[in-house]
Amino acid sequence: MEWELKEDLRDCLVAAAPYGGPIALLKNNFRKEKSPSSRPLLEIYSASGVLLANILWKSGQVVQLGWTASEDLLCIQEDGSVLIYNLFCEFKRHFSMGNEVLQNHVLEAKVFHTEFGTGVAILTGAHRFSLTTNIDELKLRRMPEVPGLQKLPSCWAVLSRDRVTIILLAMGQDLYLLDNTSCSVVTPPGMSPHAGACVQMAVSFNYRYLALFTDTGSIWMGMSSLKEKLCEFSCDFRSPPRQMVWCTRPRSKQRAVVVAWDRRLLVAGNSKECIQFVLDEDSYLVPELDGVRVFSRSTHEFLHEIPEASEEIFKIASMAPGALLLEAQKEYEKESQKADEYLREIKDQKLLSEAVRQCIEAAGFEHEPETQKSLLRAASFGKCFLDKFPPESFVRTCRDLRVLNAIRDYQIGIPLTFAQYKQLTIEVLLDRLVLRRLYPLAIKICEYLRLSEFQGVSRVLAHWACYKVQQKDKSDEEVAHAINQKLGDTPGISYSEIAARAYECGRTELAIKLLEYEPRSGEQVPLLLKMKKSQLALNKAIESGDTDLVYTVVLHLKNELNRGAFFMTLQKQPVALSLYRQFCKHQELETLKDLYNQDDDHQELGNFHVHSSYSSEKRIEGRVAALQNAMDEYYKAKNEFAAKATEDQIKLLRAQRRLQDDLDKPYLDYSLHDTVYGLILDGKHKQAEQLYRDFRIPDRRFWWLKISALAEREDWEELEKFSKSKKSPIGYLPFVEVCMKHHNRHEAKKYAARVAPEQRVKAHILVGDLDQAADAAIEHKNENEMNLVLSKCTAVTTDSSVVEKINRAKAQILKK
């Protein structure tokens, strides 16, 4: 270890993060003096003992330290408050475990990890347990009371079973299980009745297994469900151990626990025998996915079950294919013929593929680069004699080992094993390098593994930029320029996220400058609004051309500003004003009216009142009043036509209301023409004539309306009478047409003779009198009319004389 500790680890509060994580020490925490010189010192080291940061502790008494899954340090205080620091002792935030804890204080606490996140469980001075399963979504849960618990339990642990977090505690020989609703007494299956009181317990890394140590030296190991016993071991030590942790490997059938006393470790498992280690110094155990980290003032070691592939290759006198291939490769380097003998032996057993696989797998588990190289050389040597061995596993192992060797370097200090690396994933490892501000190494790894932009370099650069904005020694302009120079237009980079970090650090102007480099307006605008730069946000939204974005800003401004200031702001932005008007037309009509009033826009106010008359008002008086307002506004706008049209509409509505009352038939909301037409259909000629005069309907239009209505009513007598009332302004062809439309040829013939000469041919054709049509066409000497008549003739004998007559006339015209 790089550190030079003067204190024993037993004199410090210690917490080490899993997956080769950092180590936190709180020194002098147990001293009662409050003088500044004796304040506790919080130090954070890498796993190799390199100091990352330290601070003098100025807050309350710390009961427990622990690490979150994202490598933040939790400092649980006696008063129930939990302070969170990053790797560099920089305060991030705090939360409280509740008022009850504040009153009764924290006696003991544990930090645990489940699929829900990082949790905290505490035992209060009232001997009650409380916990939260996720500190990021804080929901405190008070566990049921344990009957008769008047003092500290001899030991307790947090279990996670079927997505439920529970607490197991020991009081003498009794075990109690606390879940959400109840407290129950449990008995481990197969445990000897003479085992004694439980003084220490340990839960495995994956919560599957439980170990109990009793005051008689008995170690019971079984499933954490307490339904199955795995084994039991008796040791010679009776004193309670300082620590007990599980030492297991994924998919292994071996189960073992490591028990630590002062300078002594004991490993107990399925066997009746145990392994003992005598240590030179006090040590601290850190349970891992596939073993146990053991560190002291001078060393940091890893205790684990030897993987099967390594055991097969390296055990004494092994004849496993991997062992023979390793020997063959060594002999080959010595240019010895034994290499051929070993190789033939493997090939004769048809185990060369298995030998290569064993060497590759074993290389992954080794920590010494020389041993890794030796095994990989052997695998490469064996591959040369195979026709179809897939190279992916070999290449992947080489790459992974190169990454692992880089991060295991003592200056980096992340001693991950191969199994831990696979479980953690490369993305999380990169995040951890970034948290340690090891940006060059993170970028090198990204480039070496050829990760995508999102997974790799861009992600690291974004973190680097977020770190840069926290540096206070440079101006906003310099920092923004430096970040842009470094990042440029790298795909996957979000300048808005970096700007958000700058804003969180209190550097608003820097955040605005960084947003200038963000190409996506949709990312710029929300942050500008959050920073209360609403005017700038509105400008950006309008520049983007995204109407939804403009609406977002406008509605935000509406809630933020008073009504007058809001309208004044919109006046300066015609695009925003236009869009807001569109919004108001559908959602807030009264606001739209206020906008027009403020602008003295009389034309639009007139339109508004017209629209309101037909959409909002139900009673005729209200509608007329709205139209009256519209007429006034149109006059103010000097729109004489609109004003006169509105005045006529008021007049029509009143007339329709009278007709409706007098005739007991609906006329409201019909057009003027439909009203007149309807009256004629109903035989109310006097009222129709009155509207004709009152609204000065043009003669031609009125005649068309009347003859169409009379024909539809089949009032042929009134139609004939009307045709003789005075000279028709539309001629008499329309009379023929409406009669034929209603299939009355007899009436139509009456008007055909009265049709003007130039339309007579068409009239005769309409009534089906082709002979008369031919005579009229010949009389006019109009070849086009003759041809029109011919086109209507058929092969019927009655039409042959007409055809002959027209052909003679056409021949005479041609002679002339």
Side-chain angles (χ1 to χ4, degrees), residues 76 141 178:
I76 305 167
R141 201 169 81 211
L178 301 182

Side-chain angles (χ1 to χ4, degrees), residues 6-158:
K6 296 177 182 178
E7 298 86 355
D8 285 330
L9 290 177
R10 72 173 78 179
D11 297 329
C12 307
L13 267 183
V14 183
Y19 294 98
I23 302 167
L25 300 179
L26 189 62
K27 301 176 180 178
N28 303 327
N29 185 53
F30 306 107
R31 295 183 181 177
K32 298 299 182 184
E33 309 93 75
K34 297 297 181 183
S35 61
S37 60
S38 65
R39 286 186 189 277
L41 180 66
L42 177 62
E43 297 179 327
I44 297 180
Y45 295 89
S46 71
S48 58
V50 174
L51 182 66
L52 298 178
N54 61 13
I55 55 167
L56 277 175
W57 188 258
K58 297 179 181 179
S59 192
Q61 183 75 20
V62 178
V63 175
Q64 186 68 35
L65 297 177
W67 291 93
T68 68
S70 55
E71 294 195 331
D72 285 329
L73 180 63
L74 302 180
C75 304
I76 305 167
Q77 296 191 147
E78 196 176 41
D79 61 0
S81 59
V82 182
L83 281 63
I84 304 178
Y85 290 81
N86 69 8
L87 278 169
F88 297 95
C89 290
E90 295 166 349
F91 178 75
K92 295 182 72 173
R93 64 185 180 91
H94 79 284
F95 63 90
S96 172
M97 293 296 289
N99 289 329
E100 183 191 346
V101 179
L102 178 62
Q103 294 168 5
N104 296 310
H105 296 299
V106 178
L107 297 181
E108 292 181 353
K110 294 185 189 295
V111 177
F112 59 93
H113 305 281
T114 66
E115 63 267 36
F116 301 110
T118 300
V120 174
I122 58 171
L123 173 62
T124 70
H127 302 106
R128 294 291 299 268
F129 288 93
S130 293
L131 62 81
T132 176
T133 54
N134 186 354
I135 62 169
D136 294 320
E137 297 176 7
L138 195 64
K139 291 180 182 176
L140 297 175
R141 201 169 81 211
R142 191 182 185 197
M143 306 302 282
E145 192 170 351
V146 181
L149 183 61
Q150 300 297 326
K151 60 178 182 177
L152 280 175
S154 52
C155 57
W156 61 282
V158 180

Side-chain angles (χ1 to χ4, degrees), residues 190-192 195 198 200-202 210-222 229-238 241 243-246 256-261 266-269 271 274:
M191 193 169 189
S192 169
C198 182
Q200 185 67 274
M201 61 178 64
L210 172 70
L212 305 173
F213 187 94
T214 69
D215 57 7
T216 61
S218 176
I219 304 174
W220 179 92
M221 287 170 267
K229 174 184 174 181
L230 296 175
C231 61
E232 195 166 353
F233 182 84
S234 293
C235 68
D236 299 330
F237 301 97
R238 301 288 184 270
Q243 279 183 280
M244 181 169 70
V245 298
W246 279 87
V257 291
V258 180
V259 192
W261 290 270
L266 181 144
V267 183
S271 172
C274 66

Side-chain angles (χ1 to χ4, degrees), residues 76 228 644:
I76 305 167
E228 182 183 344
K644 189 67 177 66

Side-chain angles (χ1 to χ4, degrees), residues 324 327-328 331 338-347:
L324 294 175
E327 288 300 318
E331 294 299 331
K338 287 184 180 180
D340 184 57
E341 293 173 13
Y342 288 133
L343 201 57
R344 283 181 185 278
E345 186 172 346
I346 302 169
K347 292 181 77 174

